[in-house]
């Protein structure tokens, strides 16, 4: 025991980690060590790309970056874009209040 204060707290069965003036509390709440206390960084795994027996790495990268030139998918995208232009937004309907006044009333107390 370093002091009578510490002895009294021990006799009262107080946990040192709950007393702000103790070293245990300071360690628990990360107080004090500001100098070299930086968190360790974890290493991120890097995905390694390897060539397959039939194709080189450059060919695989080109295929991955190339956009699909399927005629059916392009026609479908054009159709969707055209319908979005003619169709009004749903946000216009969301801002309108209902005209029925009965829905706004509270039920009567009994």
């Amino acid at each position: 025991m370093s002091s009578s204060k510490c002895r009294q707290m021990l006799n009262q069965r107080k946990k040192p980690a709950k007393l702000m003036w103790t070293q245990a509390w300071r360690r628990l709440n990360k107080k004090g060590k500001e100098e070299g206390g930086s968190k360790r960084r974890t290493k991120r795994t890097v995905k390694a790309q390897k060539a397959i027996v039939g194709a080189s790495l450059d060919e695989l990268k080109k295929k991955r970056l190339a956009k699909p030139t399927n005629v059916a998918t392009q026609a479908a995208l054009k159709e969707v874009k055209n319908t979005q232009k003619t169709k009004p937004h749903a946000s216009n309907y969301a801002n309108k209040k209902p005209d029925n006044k009965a829905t706004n009333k509270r039920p009567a107390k009994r």
Side-chain angles (χ1 to χ4, degrees), residues 3 9 16 28 43 52 78 81 88 95:
S3 67
M9 291 295 128
L28 189 68
K43 290 184 179 179
I52 302 173
K78 282 183 182 178
K81 285 181 182 178
N95 293 335

Side-chain angles (χ1 to χ4, degrees), residues 62-73:
K62 285 179 186 176
K63 281 186 180 180
R64 194 173 286 151
L65 294 175
K67 291 184 179 180
T69 56
N70 190 352
V71 178
T73 55

